[in-house]
Amino acid sequence: MIIDRTATHELLARPLHDEAARTQYIVQLKNRLRRYEAANRTALDARAGPAYAATSGKAPETVEEITAAMVGDPFYQIWSAFSRSAQDVMWNSVGETIQRELPRMKAVAAGLANAPAGGSCETSPTFVAPSDAYAGHIHGQPGGYMLGEGSADDFVAGAFYESGGNAYSLGVGIGTRDSKSAAVIEFLAERYPGFKPRRILDLACSSGGATVGYAAAFPEAEIYGVDVAPGLLRYAHLRAEAMGLKAHFRQMDAGDMSFEDESFDLVVSHNMMHEVSRDSLGRIFSEARRVLRAGGVVVHQDVPMKGADFSAFEKFIFAWQTKNNDEPFWDEFLATQAPEVMLEAGFAPDEVLETTVRMRDGPRAWYVVLGEKPDAEGRRGSALIG
């Protein structure tokens, strides 16, 4: 069973006709702006580049030089302003639906209080999140991921994450049939035929979109998702229950977990690496290996900005995220060699793989770094084979 963005459930905010039309307009605007990124390259070649060369004596080549050439170009300024405005209006659009729908969503949540699917959620008012969690309102999400941390039942942050994430993905050309968890599951099935993990851990699980994908694919496995944001975790739990999928959610720092050593067969993360600092990434990779059983596998997946030979201009476009879209660690991750961090975490060189996995419904490929912990017989991905 594959869980993708077509999956629906009772907790999901339901837009009225006009609300849906407004969000669709923003999606189409984002798609148009995405196509205009190529035109920015034309602007560099036709105007900004020659202007830079006239004062510096050479054409811009590095990210820093391209930035210096482009920031004063009217075409780039207009594109940048529209791109940021489109993100803000997207959040406003889904936010209106969520606020209108909140009474109904709370009623649904009350009906799921007894956890009919058998899952669970544990958060703590005394939990202290790492400073990375407060570095910015990621993607410009209203209130940030930590929205609702002072409440015992607030799940609005998760509602924003799912509804906004669906619109954002469509706006960058990713289709509704795409699924990050399904892409990784298919990759694992091809690489390790017969691999059937008994316990699975999803790090930085946010609203649980990938977590339930593993619950659906491995119904006999025990599934856990951890995150620092209580509002995301509450929503993830309710969402899983509404979909009839059993998963357990815990408020933990993925870099300092309370799980026992060697207690999971599969440890995954999705789009987590670019959301944390280099120091946090090292701690998280070490913890992932610590809780991994012999014969188990760690898979960290992220957005398609690494794992390919991007041009300096493309890297300049990526850097826009840090400066204009509340991505405080984006540039830091671009400069980080994830396989080296895996080696620092204790994996041997022949136990680490850096690769890409094709999107199931999208224009590019997901970036993946994988770590294996061989069992006593030297087998990798051997959990419950046969």
Side-chain angles (χ1 to χ4, degrees), residues 208-232:
T211 318
V212 295
Y214 293 97
F218 301 102
E220 297 179 1
E222 190 175 5
I223 314 293
Y224 281 85
V226 302
D227 204 287
V228 299
L232 294 180

Side-chain angles (χ1 to χ4, degrees), residues 13 22-23 89-99 160 163-164 167:
R22 182 170 59 246
T23 300
V89 176
M90 179 195 78
W91 289 119
N92 290 340
S93 181
V94 300
E96 287 186 21
T97 299
I98 291 169
Q99 293 305 318
F160 266 107
S163 293

Side-chain angles (χ1 to χ4, degrees), residues 245-279:
L245 295 167
K246 182 179 179 180
H248 305 285
F249 296 92
R250 301 289 183 266
Q251 187 177 20
M252 291 185 192
D253 175 1
D256 185 19
M257 297 183 288
S258 59
F259 294 119
E260 295 181 357
D261 293 355
E262 300 188 346
S263 53
F264 290 93
D265 303 299
L266 175 62
V267 180
V268 298
S269 75
H270 295 281
N271 288 16
M272 174 273 295
M273 291 186 283
H274 76 270
E275 305 289 24
V276 299
S277 65
R278 171 62 173 79
D279 288 344

Side-chain angles (χ1 to χ4, degrees), residues 18-30 33 81-97 139-142 160 163-164 167-168 325:
D18 287 358
E19 293 167 345
R22 182 170 59 246
T23 300
Q24 183 59 29
Y25 170 81
I26 298 303
V27 167
Q28 295 304 318
L29 174 60
K30 282 177 165 287
L33 290 167
F82 267 102
S83 295
R84 177 64 209 202
S85 295
Q87 186 78 344
D88 291 339
V89 176
M90 179 195 78
W91 289 119
N92 290 340
S93 181
V94 300
E96 287 186 21
T97 299
H139 311 138
Q141 177 171 320
F160 266 107
S163 293
Y168 180 84
N325 199 32

Side-chain angles (χ1 to χ4, degrees), residues 129-136 138-139 145-146 203-206 226-229 232 252-256 269-286 300-303 305-306 322 326-338 341 369:
S131 59
D132 287 8
Y134 303 97
I138 305 297
H139 311 138
Y145 291 175
M146 300 303 291
L203 305 175
C205 66
S206 63
V226 302
D227 204 287
V228 299
L232 294 180
M252 291 185 192
D253 175 1
D256 185 19
S269 75
H270 295 281
N271 288 16
M272 174 273 295
M273 291 186 283
H274 76 270
E275 305 289 24
V276 299
S277 65
R278 171 62 173 79
D279 288 344
S280 291
L281 191 65
R283 293 189 297 106
I284 292 169
F285 279 13
S286 294
H300 298 291
Q301 168 271 326
D302 216 297
V303 295
M305 63 181 189
K306 291 177 70 74
T322 301
D326 298 284
E327 289 282 12
F329 305 113
W330 190 278
D331 287 353
E332 192 171 356
F333 179 57
L334 277 174
T336 296
Q337 297 301 316
V341 187
V369 60

